[in-house]
Amino acid sequence: MALRNQPYLPLYVQDYLTDEKLNECSPATQGVYIKLLCVLHKMEEYGTILLKQSDKQSDKQSKNFAMKFARQISFTPDVIESALNELLDNKVITIDGDILYQKRMVKDNELSIKRAEAGKKGGETTWGNTKFAKANTKAKTIANSEYEYEYENVNITNTKKDKFQKPE
């Protein structure tokens, strides 16, 4: 399962709390950052967001991204732009052309994709390209017959102690 399809954000709490670059940022910026991570988690390309031509209203990329994020998170464009500039200055996030991304999220996505491909390859090798394991019907039949033979002659009667008794 791709990271973006998970209902939760894999947040490494210790890394978040001890991130020196992030700790240099103001509390308001850290709040914007958490919301930003949530938005980046849902993007088609995990951890990145593309600034479309229709989103470009200014010459400053941070202002353009702030306007885009203002439609998605509950902060004003000015607060978001200030936070983005602070996050960029502290190298917590990166803007490369028309793409804003968070390095750790991109790296985690690449690792997730490699693991999924390796798992798929291993599964195909193990099961011979079939999607489901074949049931062992012989074992199932034997197990059921043992159960039937064991209790075939048992007469269940209700006693004061509510225990089962065998016929005498």
Side-chain angles (χ1 to χ4, degrees):
M1 173 185 289
L3 288 174
R4 68 181 288 273
N5 295 332
Q6 295 177 349
Y8 60 89
L9 175 69
L11 178 67
Y12 300 92
V13 176
Q14 190 62 33
D15 290 352
Y16 178 80
L17 293 174
T18 59
D19 187 335
E20 294 172 5
K21 295 175 182 178
L22 187 59
N23 286 331
E24 292 289 322
C25 298
S26 70
T29 297
Q30 292 183 32
V32 170
Y33 179 65
I34 287 292
K35 294 274 193 168
L36 179 69
L37 291 178
C38 293
V39 171
L40 293 175
H41 175 75
K42 300 305 285 178
M43 290 293 109
E44 188 69 32
E45 188 173 336
Y46 189 80
T48 68
I49 189 165
L50 175 66
L51 193 63
K52 297 177 183 174
Q53 191 65 35
S54 60
D55 296 325
K56 296 179 181 179
Q57 305 293 325
S58 170
D59 293 337
K60 292 178 62 179
Q61 289 293 64
S62 60
K63 185 173 186 89
N64 291 330
F65 277 109
M67 296 297 289
K68 184 174 184 79
F69 286 124
R71 294 188 299 265
Q72 300 173 358
I73 61 178
S74 58
F75 290 96
T76 64
D78 293 336
V79 170
I80 297 170
E81 183 181 7
S82 173
L84 288 177
N85 287 328
E86 196 171 350
L87 291 167
L88 288 165
D89 290 344
N90 287 309
K91 295 180 177 38
V92 177
I93 60 170
T94 305
I95 293 179
D96 184 13
D98 289 341
I99 299 173
L100 181 143
Y101 63 95
Q102 204 278 343
K103 289 179 192 176
R104 175 75 179 256
M105 292 178 82
V106 171
K107 184 176 126 186
D108 287 351
N109 186 51
E110 290 170 356
L111 182 60
S112 176
I113 290 169
K114 286 178 185 176
R115 287 179 176 166
E117 289 170 356
K120 181 179 178 184
K121 184 178 178 184
E124 287 173 350
T125 301
T126 303
W127 297 106
N129 294 330
T130 60
K131 293 191 184 238
F132 299 103
K134 294 182 180 177
N136 187 346
T137 54
K138 183 178 179 183
K140 185 176 180 184
T141 305
I142 291 171
N144 286 343
S145 62
E146 288 174 7
Y147 176 80
E148 290 170 3
Y149 295 137
E150 184 177 338
Y151 295 103
E152 186 174 79
N153 296 321
V154 175
N155 182 13
I156 301 173
T157 57
N158 210 357
T159 65
K160 291 180 185 178
K161 296 180 182 177
D162 287 341
K163 290 189 177 181
F164 296 106
Q165 291 183 335
K166 280 190 171 182
E168 295 175 9

